[in-house]
Amino acid sequence: MYPEISVFSNLYQAWRKARRGKRYKPTAAAFELRLDDELTRLHEELVSESWQPGGYRSFTVHEPKRRKISAAPFRDRVVHHALVNVIEPIYERKFIFDSYANRKGKGTHAALNRCTYFMRRYPYVLTCDVQQFFPAIDHEILKTILQKKLACVPTLGLCDRIIDSGREVLAEEYTMRFFPEDDLFAMGRPRGLPIGNLTSQFWANVYLNELDQYVKHHLRCEGYVRYVDDFLLFADDKVSLHRWGDAIRQFLVGLRLTVHENRMQPRPVKQGLPWLGFTVYPTHRRLKRVKGIAYQRRLKALYRDYQAGKISREQGRASVMAWLGHVKQGDTYGLRLKLFAQFRS
């Protein structure tokens, strides 16, 4: 397996993926300027198993909620893509159908459609989400999960180096939680995957695939949908959802994860379900009010940048069309008319 990761053709494909949307960023442009030399050096470092991750550049975003984003050096992102190119097919065969984040042919729109499908079949839903998910991912547990499917020692070594590089990145974002049989040394357990890494997004699915398999095969829940660390369980009665909720809490202890208890309450689907930026009903969807307000600010900023010559008409249009493609998943016709009316000449 490892030679498939380090082979020049895979690195070249990985570079093409890593540069998407970033081709004119200084680090990506500099890498492309010396492409042959850079890929050759990466190939040699990977073959000799001497490649080491660089430092992260971190910044904070506040939409849709406050998050610390950590960007790896561009050459590291090439390695991340090269690794995922090879190991993703192995895990893709193991993932359940109803896991929708960061997978080809899935995404938020497919997840919303599946949610609507289950809301029309079942009268009750249990909403769950993990507290501080990316900061809480335990390195030892993740490595153990990877070892179940990957037998190639150099590949596991490469995974370990990438995982270890994120040890302190989200340390300040994590609130310490103790689990049964923990001692004081539990505070020093390596944890956290940098939000922003392709590998972090992929390994998040690998980590919670343990939960997916438990829900589908042990709890026998047919109405189940997960998007990253937000997941829904549907049933014909509240009793089943309470029972499943208790079982999930106990199962997540083994992954050193906890859920937001105040949000984990069964409810009738007819009341509506806040999920993935919308309030979803069995018959329709409404965009969350906070999302509409946030985009109104974004739209005004885009218009100012266009007037100031900071972005082209095509760049502004591309941004607007991407948003429209998303909000058209709900009943937003009136909102769209109102937002864009102020910019008509």
Side-chain angles (χ1 to χ4, degrees):
M1 180 183 297
Y2 191 72
E4 296 178 38
I5 297 170
S6 57
V7 70
F8 198 88
S9 59
N10 185 47
L11 291 174
Y12 180 79
Q13 183 185 19
W15 163 70
R16 290 181 63 88
K17 290 182 177 181
R19 74 171 182 168
R20 288 175 186 166
K22 301 178 177 66
R23 189 169 185 179
Y24 299 107
K25 296 290 180 69
T27 54
F31 191 96
E32 185 170 355
L33 189 64
R34 304 183 303 273
L35 183 60
D36 288 345
D37 291 340
E38 292 284 3
L39 293 183
T40 298
R41 190 152 62 97
L42 277 180
H43 169 73
E44 292 172 348
E45 291 177 11
L46 289 170
V47 168
S48 64
E49 299 182 41
S50 62
W51 176 82
Q52 292 295 331
Y56 289 91
R57 178 180 60 85
S58 298
F59 55 94
T60 302
V61 299
H62 297 274
E63 295 291 347
K65 60 183 178 180
R66 182 188 175 278
R67 293 181 300 166
K68 182 179 179 181
I69 307 297
S70 301
F74 184 79
R75 73 189 309 266
D76 287 10
R77 296 202 291 271
V78 174
V79 174
H80 298 170
H81 277 279
L83 173 63
V84 173
N85 282 348
V86 174
I87 67 175
E88 183 179 40
I90 297 171
Y91 286 94
E92 187 63 32
R93 293 191 292 269
K94 306 297 181 183
F95 291 157
I96 66 168
F97 178 84
D98 284 315
S99 166
Y100 286 89
N102 307 306
R103 295 177 66 193
K104 295 175 184 177
K106 302 289 184 176
T108 56
H109 299 167
L112 285 165
N113 290 338
R114 190 64 164 168
C115 174
T116 299
Y117 170 78
F118 284 131
M119 291 181 85
R120 292 172 178 174
R121 292 193 61 189
Y122 297 97
Y124 298 101
V125 61
L126 178 69
T127 62
C128 312
D129 66 299
V130 177
Q131 291 183 314
Q132 299 177 316
F133 175 53
F134 280 94
I137 292 176
D138 188 271
H139 287 191
E140 182 180 340
I141 294 174
L142 174 58
K143 291 176 182 179
T144 300
I145 293 172
L146 290 173
Q147 289 167 9
K148 294 178 182 179
K149 293 289 185 292
L150 302 179
C152 177
V153 174
T155 300
L156 287 170
L158 179 59
C159 292
D160 288 351
R161 290 197 293 279
I162 297 173
I163 293 169
D164 293 343
S165 72
R167 175 171 181 167
E168 300 298 330
V169 172
L170 294 179
E172 296 179 357
E173 308 296 311
Y174 180 71
T175 302
M176 183 63 201
R177 296 172 178 82
F178 287 95
F179 296 88
E181 301 182 6
D182 272 354
D183 54 27
L184 290 178
F185 292 104
M187 297 183 67
R189 291 179 69 99
R191 60 176 66 85
L193 294 181
I195 301 174
N197 274 5
L198 172 70
T199 47
S200 297
Q201 298 168 11
F202 174 68
W203 284 329
N205 274 340
V206 172
Y207 204 80
L208 283 185
N209 182 56
E210 302 292 303
L211 171 66
D212 296 342
Q213 300 296 332
Y214 177 75
V215 171
K216 297 298 289 185
H217 300 299
H218 182 81
L219 298 183
R220 303 284 184 179
C221 174
E222 295 184 5
Y224 173 75
V225 185
R226 180 175 65 82
Y227 191 91
V228 194
D229 60 316
D230 291 328
F231 52 100
L232 311 172
L233 291 86
F234 296 86
D236 290 320
D237 57 86
K238 288 186 177 181
V239 174
S240 296
L241 293 177
H242 279 296
R243 185 176 71 252
W244 290 344
D246 291 340
I248 286 170
R249 290 184 186 91
Q250 291 302 311
F251 182 84
L252 288 177
V253 168
L255 296 176
R256 300 187 66 83
L257 298 175
T258 54
V259 294
H260 286 100
E261 291 290 344
N262 60 326
R263 304 173 192 172
M264 198 173 176
Q265 299 297 328
R267 68 172 78 187
V269 298
K270 64 182 180 181
Q271 291 182 355
L273 171 63
W275 206 50
L276 301 182
F278 291 86
T279 301
V280 186
Y281 297 88
T283 56
H284 63 286
R285 300 173 196 148
R286 292 176 180 168
L287 188 72
K288 285 185 177 179
R289 183 173 182 272
V290 66
K291 297 292 184 180
I293 294 173
Y295 190 73
Q296 185 174 31
R297 292 196 298 266
R298 170 64 176 157
L299 190 59
K300 289 179 178 179
L302 275 175
Y303 188 67
R304 288 195 300 268
D305 288 346
Y306 168 65
Q307 288 186 312
K310 294 181 180 179
I311 62 172
S312 67
R313 183 183 182 89
E314 290 71 24
Q315 288 173 314
R317 185 177 185 278
S319 178
V320 169
M321 293 305 292
W323 184 77
L324 286 176
H326 176 61
V327 298
K328 282 181 178 179
Q329 299 298 312
D331 297 315
T332 58
Y333 181 74
L335 171 65
R336 285 179 274 139
L337 286 180
K338 182 178 179 180
L339 281 180
F340 291 102
Q342 58 190 309
F343 299 104
R344 291 174 181 171
S345 55

